Amino acid sequence: MSGYEMLSSFGSSHVMTGNQLSAALDDLLQKFTVVAPVMADNKLVYDEVKDVSDIVLDDGLPYKSPKEIVFPRAEDVMRFLENRVEEAQVIKPVLLVGAKPCDVAAMNVLDEVFTGEQGRFKDSFYNNRREFLTIVGMNCREKKAGCFCEERGLNPAFSVDCDGFLTLQHDGAVYKPLTEKGIDLFSGTAAALSNPVSPGTEPASHGAEPASHGAESLVLNTTEGEVFNAMPWEKYAEGCIGCGTCTFICPTCHCFNLRDSEKNGIVTRTRVWDSCMYPKFTLHAGGHNPRTKKYERFRQRVLHKYLYIPENYGCIACTGCGRCIRSCPGGLNIRNTVADIRSRLETKGEVPV
Amino acid sequence: MSLQNPYLPSRAVIMEVIQETKSETQDVKTFRLKLDEPFDYRPGQFVEFSVAGIGECTFGFASSPLIKDHMELTVKRTGYVTENIHMLSEGSTVWIRGPFGNSFPLEKMEGSDLFYVTGGLGLAPLRPMIDYVFDPAYRDRYGKIKMLMAARTPGDFIFSYDFEKWAQMPDTEFYQTIDSPAEGWNQFVGFPHTLIEKIPFDLEKTTAVLCGPPPMIKALSNAFVQYGLPPERIYTTLEMRMTCGVGKCGKCNIGHRYVCIDGPVFSMAELGEMPSEY
C-alpha cells in the first residue's frame, strides 16, 4: 500500500489558526526538543527552538537540511571501559516542524540506507535517533534558484512520508495527521484537534497524487558500464575545488568516519562526517588510492546518488533541493550533469559538450 | 560485536606477537589474540581491529577458523594505527568487532584443483582457506594444489615457518618468487604474472585464488584469463579503505557494491562488471 493509498485510513485534517498553532508548539516545547526553521546569522536554518516566536514557517527552504538531527556532524557513540565498551549517545525526543517535502524525502533515503531491509545491517546509532524523531512536514511555497524537486518527482505542496503535514493558509494552517505519532502529537495541547476542516475546504494538495509523482524526469535508466567511462566527467567536474561543501550541505549524503579521542583517561569514539570529495577518503594506508582525481570523485558523488543507491535501495539519493548547486564555489551543477548524461544516452553520445 | 549494534567491539588480549618479516624494515607482525567473546567465521572474512584512543583498522583473518582457542591477525606497519599496533606486546588489550564480509566459496570450489598466488601480505587473508583445505577433514574435497608465494625479497615472506609443512602436503606443489635476484636464492625470480606459464595446471579443473597489491591482482588476473582460465574461476579478495564494515560509511563503495558486505571476495567475472575503482 503506497503512502497515498494510506491517506484515507488516518484521521481527517484539522484547521488551526496561527495563534492556536503557536500555542500548541509552545506546549510541545515541554515535551520535545523542537527543531524548526529559525533565523541564524541572517540565514534560515533548521535549528533548536528556544522561543516559539522565533519559528519562521512562512518562508522558503532552509539553508541547511535537517539531517543533523539523525546524523550529527560529530557524535560521541561509545566509550571504552576496562573490559567492555558502553554506548555514549545522548538522545532526546525531537519534534521537527516545518520540514519541506524535499527534506522529508531525504529522510526516507537515509532511513533506507541506515535501517532499511535492503541495507542488511541496521545502523543502531541512526536508528536510536530516528525512533525518537517526529516529523511534521510543511508545504514549500518558494522555489529557489537551483531547486528542481519537481523534476525529481516530488510535490513541493505535500508529502505523505512524515508523521503529519501542515499546509499554510491565510491566518493559520491545515494539519493532516499521517501516522499514529502524528495523530497523538497535538492531543492535550492548546490546539487539540477539535476543528476538522469543513467539507470541500481540504487543500487540494492533500488528496490526489501530484501530477509529477511517479513521473520523475530526472532519473538515469542506464548501467554502470554505460556511463562510467563514456561520459565527459572531466568536463562536468571542471571548477571543483574539492572542498566537500556539496556533501556536507546535502540532505542525503551520509559518509562518515570514526575517530577516537581521550579526555581525563577516558577514550571516546566519535562518528564524524566524511566526504567522498576528499582524496584521503579512499587512500589506503599503504599509499594506493583507487580514486585520485577530482573528476573521479565527482563521478562517484553523482553515480552514487543516481545509480548505485537506486540499484541497492530503489530510491534516488537526490531530492532536487538544490543546496549543492547554490553552495558550490566552483559552480558545479548535479542537475545539469544528470540532464546532460540523459541526453547523451538518448542520442548515443552525439551531444556536443 | 554485539548482535544489536555492529559498531560495538569486544575485548581481546594479545597472547603472542610473532615477528614475520626478516628484512631490514621488519614491518610485518602477527598478533595472536584471545577473545572475550569468541565467534565463528569463514575463510575470507575480516574484522575491525581497534586500539582504544588510536583508532580502528580492517584486517582479514590470518588463521584457520578451525582453530578455536585463538585468532591471528597479521599487521603491516604502514600508518598511524598500525604503528601503534606494532608497539603492543603480550598482555595488551585490543578491541575486535566482526566477522564481516562474504567468504571464499569453498563449497562451490569442491572438486577443483586450486592455484593460490599471493604477493607479500596478500598471503595473510588466504591462510584461513589454505589451512582449512589442508585439514584432513576437508582435503579430499579438493584436487591438486599449487601455491606460488611472492615477496619483494627473501626476508619479506610471511608465515615462512609454515612453508615446509605446506610444501610437504600430498598433491601439492609449492613455489616462491622474489622481485629481483638475491644471493643464495634458488627459486623463481620475477613478478607472479610472468611465472604462471611456467607452472603447468589443468585449465579445465583449476580455480585460482589471488591476493596481493591491487596492481599485482590486475596483472595476474589478466595473465590467467589470457592463459585461458575463465574469469568465473579466478577469485581475489579486495583491499579497500573501510570504516564501518556494514555498508554505511561509503568508503569501500565500488559501483553499487560495497566491498565490506558484497565482498571482500569477488570473482574476476564479478569484478569485470564493476568499475575498476580498486
Side-chain angles (χ1 to χ4, degrees):
Chain A
M1 192 159 60
S2 83
Y4 280 96
E5 287 162 347
M6 283 171 70
L7 271 179
S8 57
S9 57
F10 283 102
S12 57
S13 298
H14 292 255
V15 178
M16 293 180 189
T17 64
N19 286 341
Q20 280 176 325
L21 180 58
S22 294
L25 291 174
D26 203 36
D27 286 346
L28 288 168
L29 271 175
Q30 311 303 316
K31 208 171 143 192
F32 292 97
T33 297
V34 175
V35 174
V38 295
M39 292 301 289
D41 296 331
N42 286 321
K43 282 196 169 81
L44 189 66
V45 294
Y46 295 105
D47 206 350
E48 191 172 333
V49 172
K50 300 278 184 267
D51 189 315
V52 169
S53 65
D54 294 337
I55 301 178
V56 183
L57 290 180
D58 191 12
D59 207 336
L61 184 66
Y63 171 66
K64 291 193 299 179
S65 86
K67 81 173 167 188
E68 288 180 67
I69 298 169
V70 283
F71 182 56
R73 66 179 82 178
E75 176 182 33
D76 292 346
V77 287
M78 70 176 94
R79 277 183 290 272
F80 288 87
L81 307 180
E82 194 180 334
N83 55 10
R84 64 182 180 88
V85 293
E86 64 171 10
E87 292 195 42
Q89 273 189 310
V90 180
I91 296 165
K92 297 175 289 187
V94 175
L95 169 64
L96 169 61
V97 178
K100 296 297 192 278
C102 59
D103 288 333
V104 172
M107 202 68 81
N108 270 0
V109 175
L110 293 177
D111 286 352
E112 282 298 326
V113 171
F114 282 117
T115 62
E117 286 295 314
Q118 301 301 318
R120 288 179 261 179
F121 285 86
K122 193 171 262 200
D123 186 295
S124 314
F125 301 132
Y126 178 93
N127 193 52
N128 293 344
R129 287 187 170 274
R130 189 65 177 90
E131 284 187 351
F132 278 85
L133 173 64
T134 305
I135 302 176
V136 173
M138 173 169 285
N139 57 322
C140 184
R141 306 203 289 193
E142 183 208 345
K143 193 171 178 178
K144 288 190 167 182
C147 279
F148 59 101
C149 70
E150 285 158 306
E151 284 181 284
R152 286 288 319 103
L154 299 180
N155 175 6
F158 188 57
S159 170
V160 290
D161 296 322
C162 42
D163 297 301
F165 198 88
L166 284 167
T167 299
L168 290 185
Q169 294 191 323
H170 54 90
D171 185 39
V174 173
Y175 176 71
K176 184 164 187 67
L178 294 161
T179 66
E180 296 295 335
K181 260 186 186 174
I183 291 172
D184 295 344
L185 186 64
F186 287 104
S187 57
T189 72
L193 301 178
S194 56
N195 192 11
V197 289
S198 40
T201 59
E202 174 103 19
S205 54
H206 285 189
E209 297 191 23
S212 56
H213 192 83
E216 307 172 6
S217 61
L218 210 65
V219 299
L220 289 182
N221 292 316
T222 182
T223 62
E224 289 161 18
E226 210 173 16
V227 289
F228 195 80
N229 291 316
M231 297 296 150
W233 293 105
E234 290 181 62
K235 174 89 182 164
Y236 297 149
E238 257 174 25
C240 177
I241 60 167
C243 65
T245 300
C246 53
T247 54
F248 299 130
I249 202 107
C250 176
T252 72
C253 272
H254 54 269
C255 289
F256 64 84
N257 210 345
L258 295 170
R259 304 297 284 271
D260 287 5
S261 59
E262 188 172 341
K263 199 175 174 186
N264 303 327
I266 294 170
V267 173
T268 302
R269 181 158 289 173
T270 305
R271 166 143 88 180
V272 294
W273 287 357
D274 205 339
S275 171
C276 63
M277 302 306 282
Y278 297 152
K280 275 191 170 178
F281 186 70
T282 47
L283 177 66
H284 293 194
H288 175 71
N289 193 343
R291 230 177 270 138
T292 55
K293 300 192 178 68
K294 262 188 294 206
Y295 82 84
E296 294 170 333
R297 298 192 284 275
F298 183 63
R299 174 174 62 193
Q300 169 66 15
R301 181 159 192 275
V302 174
L303 294 184
H304 193 231
K305 294 194 176 303
Y306 277 86
L307 206 54
Y308 308 159
I309 286 196
E311 169 103 24
N312 288 327
Y313 299 102
C315 55
I316 290 177
C318 173
T319 64
C321 74
R323 289 188 177 94
C324 59
I325 298 170
R326 288 188 292 275
S327 309
C328 180
L332 272 67
N333 186 315
I334 193 169
R335 186 225 158 262
N336 292 350
T337 297
V338 174
D340 188 76
I341 294 170
R342 281 175 54 86
S343 58
R344 281 168 193 277
L345 290 170
E346 279 162 20
T347 59
K348 307 237 183 302
E350 298 296 312
V351 175
V353 178
Chain B
M1 180 170 77
S2 90
L3 281 175
Q4 293 76 31
N5 188 336
Y7 295 105
L8 301 185
S10 61
R11 189 178 70 153
V13 175
I14 296 176
M15 298 164 71
E16 194 182 341
V17 182
I18 303 152
Q19 176 64 48
E20 294 287 353
T21 48
K22 311 288 186 291
S23 62
E24 217 170 288
T25 52
Q26 302 215 336
D27 58 356
V28 182
K29 290 178 178 178
T30 292
F31 294 82
R32 180 170 293 181
L33 307 177
K34 183 99 183 156
L35 275 65
D36 278 5
E37 298 163 32
F39 49 76
D40 289 330
Y41 59 92
R42 302 184 304 276
Q45 289 194 290
F46 65 90
V47 287
E48 293 293 337
F49 181 13
S50 293
V51 181
I54 302 297
E56 202 171 49
C57 270
T58 308
F59 298 96
F61 292 98
S63 55
S64 168
L66 302 172
I67 300 169
K68 295 297 177 194
D69 71 325
H70 68 258
M71 186 188 92
E72 288 178 356
L73 299 175
T74 298
V75 179
K76 181 172 181 172
R77 191 181 68 236
T78 188
Y80 177 69
V81 175
T82 52
E83 261 173 36
N84 279 276
I85 291 173
H86 267 240
M87 289 192 276
L88 300 175
S89 51
E90 202 182 306
S92 298
T93 290
V94 293
W95 302 85
I96 297 286
R97 58 187 181 97
F100 296 118
N102 68 355
S103 54
F104 292 110
L106 289 162
E107 289 76 25
K108 201 173 155 190
M109 291 178 185
E110 285 179 9
S112 285
D113 289 356
L114 298 172
F115 196 155
Y116 304 117
V117 189
T118 67
L121 200 61
L123 174 55
L126 255 60
R127 193 194 195 203
M129 176 175 172
I130 292 169
D131 280 344
Y132 177 94
V133 169
F134 277 146
D135 190 273
Y138 302 98
R139 180 64 189 92
D140 61 2
R141 300 184 186 185
Y142 303 90
K144 295 192 169 75
I145 292 175
K146 321 231 183 249
M147 307 174 76
L148 173 59
M149 319 272 98
R152 274 173 312 193
T153 73
D156 284 314
F157 284 97
I158 60 171
F159 312 140
S160 48
Y161 42 85
D162 282 343
F163 287 0
E164 203 180 318
K165 175 184 76 189
W166 288 343
Q168 287 172 1
M169 288 286 178
D171 280 331
T172 300
E173 292 169 35
F174 183 87
Y175 304 97
Q176 287 172 261
T177 183
I178 55 174
D179 286 0
S180 46
E183 211 181 309
W185 185 257
N186 58 6
Q187 304 214 40
F188 285 127
V189 173
F191 295 126
H193 67 276
T194 65
L195 297 169
I196 54 170
E197 60 182 18
K198 296 183 181 171
I199 302 170
F201 61 95
D202 185 344
L203 271 177
E204 299 304 312
K205 285 186 65 184
T206 296
T207 296
V209 186
L210 327 172
C211 189
M216 184 197 109
I217 291 178
K218 287 176 186 172
L220 195 54
S221 58
N222 286 342
F224 269 114
V225 170
Q226 272 174 17
Y227 206 72
L229 199 63
E232 292 75 17
R233 277 194 275 125
I234 306 173
Y235 287 90
T236 189
T237 166
L238 287 190
E239 179 189 358
M240 284 291 272
R241 191 183 181 103
M242 290 178 190
T243 292
C244 70
V246 291
K248 312 294 183 202
C249 80
K251 299 233 166 53
C252 69
N253 178 224
I254 304 175
H256 70 279
R257 309 275 199 157
Y258 287 84
V259 175
C260 66
I261 51 177
D262 299 308
V265 176
F266 292 100
S267 74
M268 282 300 153
E270 291 170 311
L271 283 181
E273 290 173 2
M274 289 158 61
S276 181
E277 283 193 313
Y278 56 92

